[in-house]
């Protein structure tokens, strides 16, 4: 039987959140009242209840949805993220992953290693499955593969990741022998791994308002990711393989633009560029036909959620998130912590933005295929970029707070800091636990955003 402590903890959080349904919720609905006014639903907090026409249009085209299905999907995905966070907090080490599925993402599935958790999961409107390995166990297996890749390796096994749907760490390789050799070199148990055969070899997409082109040292082209600020300095984030610190950039119009301030590649694939006074940071991402969509935050989406990408070569395309925390071995080096999608991309799209509804997700790293035949694309999540470089994402409700480093203890909540799922903060005399990874914003204080924070 699930522990009384766990049941009480999630019940209290759901009481604060209000009753949610895994179907679209009208924008006018609201949760219980607090001393600061009506508590918004998860969809309202993340802006999923009022999506841009450009996002809806692209989802209809690329995921083959009706207008009603596209709108419902965005709301359902926002609500599912909060429910998954609550259940992760309640289940603890027995939690084994969560994902959404269906045309409108109406089904949230949560996996557990403890059969006693099934009633608790189902009570929150989620489909429950019992699996053998917990998320912590699988992450340890993947970490061993990551370490083995640093010692030696072959591009014949270029991708590996925790697959929550199969409850295994999957190694993608061109042959079974290559995959088995890699698993053996890492010293991991074969019963926790699986092999996926594929001829694909991901490549960086560097060959040559988010999604616009920029040029590096007059020798290469990449795409702007998201606008950011650091104190009073404006700029943008992009892929690390696009340039090194000190590299000069020119904008889409070939005029002088800025300088790379920091860049990490391999290991991670992230960079940021400080721009001169001729350029202004905006929360905009370029969509189809010159239209723009705006970024409202950086809440990380679940596996199965819809995501759209903009790039200076192939433009605006959508698909779904397939895996989180994927490791990819490019010819130029290995990158950890990427998100795998089935969105297409082409050379020159590197660094361009991925967005889920109105929430920034990451910047294009590399992939395989193209936008004629389709393909696989990986992105570097944006929250680690913001955290590593001390940047503030430019959003529609801009916070002016300067990001600060986490002390490793319970801290007072502050806007501008990147909070990982499971982090704890203090606001007033109350303690809160983070449900979904995001960068804090002025309007997202824990006491009024139960979509992101659980009172402890």
């Amino acid at each position: 039987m699930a522990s009384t402590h766990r049941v009480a903890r999630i019940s209290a959080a759901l009481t604060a959140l209000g009753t949610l349904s895994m179907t679209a919720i009208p924008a006018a609905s609201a949760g219980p009242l607090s001393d600061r006014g009506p508590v918004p639903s998860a969809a309202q907090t993340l802006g999923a209840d009022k999506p841009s026409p450009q996002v809806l249009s692209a989802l209809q085209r690329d995921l083959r949805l009706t207008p009603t299905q596209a709108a419902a999907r965005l709301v359902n995905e926002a609500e599912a993220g909060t429910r998954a966070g609550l259940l992760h907090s309640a289940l603890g080490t027995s939690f084994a992953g969560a994902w959404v599925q269906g045309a409108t993402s109406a089904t949230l599935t949560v996996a557990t290693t403890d059969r006693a958790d099934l009633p608790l999961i189902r009570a929150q409107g989620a489909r429950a499955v019992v699996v053998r390995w917990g998320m912590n166990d699988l992450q340890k297996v993947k970490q061993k593969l990551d370490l083995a890749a640093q010692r030696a390796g072959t591009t014949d096994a270029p991708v590996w990741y925790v697959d929550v749907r199969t409850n295994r760490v999957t190694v993608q390789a061109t042959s079974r022998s290559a995959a088995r050799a890699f698993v053996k070199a890492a010293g991991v148990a074969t019963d926790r791994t699986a092999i996926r055969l594929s001829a694909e070899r991901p490549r960086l997409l560097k060959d040559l308002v988010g999604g616009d082109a920029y040029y590096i040292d007059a020798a290469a082209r990449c795409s702007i990711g998201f606008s950011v600020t650091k104190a009073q300095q404006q700029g943008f984030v992009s892929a690390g393989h696009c340039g090194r610190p000190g590299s000069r950039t020119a904008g889409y119009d070939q005029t002088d633009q800025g300088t790379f301030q920091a860049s990490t590649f391999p290991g991670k694939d992230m960079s940021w560029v400080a721009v001169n006074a001729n350029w202004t940071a905006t929360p905009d991402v370029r969509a189809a036909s010159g239209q723009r969509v705006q970024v409202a935050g950086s809440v990380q989406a679940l596996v199965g959620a819809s995501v759209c990408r903009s790039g200076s070569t192939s433009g605006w395309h959508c698909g779904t998130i397939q895996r989180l925390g994927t490791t990819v071995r490019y010819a130029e080096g290995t990158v950890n912590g990427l998100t795998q999608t089935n969105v297409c991309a082409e050379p020159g799209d590197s660094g361009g933005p991925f967005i889920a509804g109105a929430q920034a997700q990451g910047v294009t790293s590399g992939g395989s295929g193209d936008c004629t035949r389709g393909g696989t694309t990986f992105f570097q999540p944006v929250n680690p970029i913001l955290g590593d470089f001390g940047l503030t994402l430019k959003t529609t409700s801009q916070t002016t707070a300067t990001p600060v480093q986490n002390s490793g203890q319970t801290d007072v909540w502050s806007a501008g800091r990147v909070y990982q799922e499971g982090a704890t903060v203090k606001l007033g005399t109350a303690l809160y636990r983070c449900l979904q990874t995001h960068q804090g914003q002025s309007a997202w204080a824990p006491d009024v955003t139960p979509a992101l924070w659980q009172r402890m």
Side-chain angles (χ1 to χ4, degrees), residues 14 85 112 173 186 217 242 284 291 352 409 425-426 439 447:
L14 287 168
T112 178
D217 292 332
C242 288
D284 296 346
Q291 299 296 308
Q409 300 177 347
V425 300
K426 179 182 287 187
Q439 183 174 55
D447 60 336

Side-chain angles (χ1 to χ4, degrees), residues 64 78 81 154 185 259 365 400:
R64 299 179 181 178
T154 170
T259 306
S365 175
T400 57

Side-chain angles (χ1 to χ4, degrees), residues 145-416:
L145 291 169
D146 290 345
L147 289 174
Q150 295 176 14
R151 298 192 298 268
T154 170
T155 56
D156 289 338
V159 178
W160 53 99
Y161 49 84
V162 173
D163 191 339
V164 294
R165 292 185 175 101
T166 64
N167 194 234
R168 294 291 186 276
V169 177
T170 297
V171 175
Q172 178 182 308
T174 58
S175 68
R176 291 192 179 276
S177 60
R180 288 169 179 159
F182 182 34
V183 170
K184 183 178 180 180
V188 299
T190 57
D191 60 348
R192 305 187 192 192
T193 61
I195 297 173
R196 178 177 179 267
L197 296 180
S198 173
E200 293 183 350
R201 296 178 186 269
R203 68 195 190 284
L204 299 175
L205 301 176
K206 173 187 173 181
D207 292 358
L208 293 167
V209 161
D212 279 353
Y214 71 97
Y215 300 86
I216 305 96
D217 292 332
R221 170 171 60 86
C222 278
S223 300
I224 292 173
F226 299 99
S227 291
V228 295
T229 57
K230 187 166 188 175
Q232 301 303 311
Q233 177 63 58
Q234 300 185 87
F236 63 87
V237 295
S238 191
H241 71 266
C242 288
R244 299 177 179 275
S247 295
R248 303 287 298 177
T249 70
Y252 67 90
D253 57 358
Q254 300 285 357
T255 62
D256 185 48
Q257 181 188 64
T259 306
F260 277 82
Q261 301 298 298
S263 179
T264 304
F265 180 85
K268 299 177 182 178
D269 196 1
M270 58 175 68
S271 64
W272 90 277
V273 175
V275 298
N276 60 41
N278 295 327
W279 298 83
T280 301
T282 74
D284 296 346
V285 167
R286 193 167 299 283
S289 303
Q291 299 296 308
R292 298 183 183 186
V293 299
Q294 293 192 311
V295 175
S298 62
V299 178
Q300 180 177 291
L302 292 174
V303 168
S306 52
V307 67
C308 298
R309 180 199 57 75
S310 183
S312 59
T313 298
S314 61
W316 180 244
H317 293 274
C318 296
T320 60
I321 292 174
Q322 296 177 310
R323 288 111 191 170
L324 303 175
T326 301
T327 298
V328 177
R329 183 159 35 202
Y330 299 117
E332 297 84 351
T334 300
V335 181
N336 304 314
L338 299 179
T339 299
Q340 181 174 333
T341 76
N342 60 6
V343 187
C344 70
E346 297 182 357
D349 289 332
S350 275
F354 272 80
I355 187 168
Q359 299 298 309
Q361 297 300 303
V363 300
T364 302
S365 175
S368 55
D370 55 40
C371 289
T372 299
R373 296 171 294 132
T376 298
T377 303
F378 303 90
F379 68 78
Q380 164 68 56
V382 70
N383 285 308
I385 307 178
L386 302 175
D388 282 13
F389 297 149
L391 305 170
T392 299
L393 183 68
K394 187 75 173 180
T395 66
T396 51
S397 55
Q398 182 63 30
T399 176
T400 57
T402 301
V404 294
Q405 295 297 317
N406 198 320
S407 69
Q409 300 177 347
T410 299
D411 294 307
V412 175
W413 177 86
S414 63

Side-chain angles (χ1 to χ4, degrees), residues 30-122:
L33 298 179
S34 73
D35 57 0
R36 295 178 62 177
V39 176
S41 69
Q44 291 168 327
T45 297
L46 307 189
D49 61 323
K50 297 178 180 178
S52 71
Q54 291 77 25
V55 168
L56 288 175
S57 176
L59 289 176
Q60 292 169 49
R61 178 195 66 195
D62 294 338
L63 299 186
R64 299 179 181 178
L65 303 175
T66 67
T68 299
Q69 287 176 322
R73 182 173 185 129
L74 292 173
V75 170
N76 290 340
E77 289 170 354
E79 305 293 352
T82 297
R83 287 196 175 280
L86 288 166
L87 286 166
H88 189 175
S89 175
L91 303 183
T93 57
S94 65
F95 178 80
W99 61 95
V100 293
Q101 62 194 92
T104 62
S105 295
T107 301
L108 168 65
T109 300
V110 174
T112 178
T113 59
D114 189 345
R115 186 169 295 277
D117 293 334
L118 297 185
L120 181 61
I121 296 172
R122 291 167 180 158

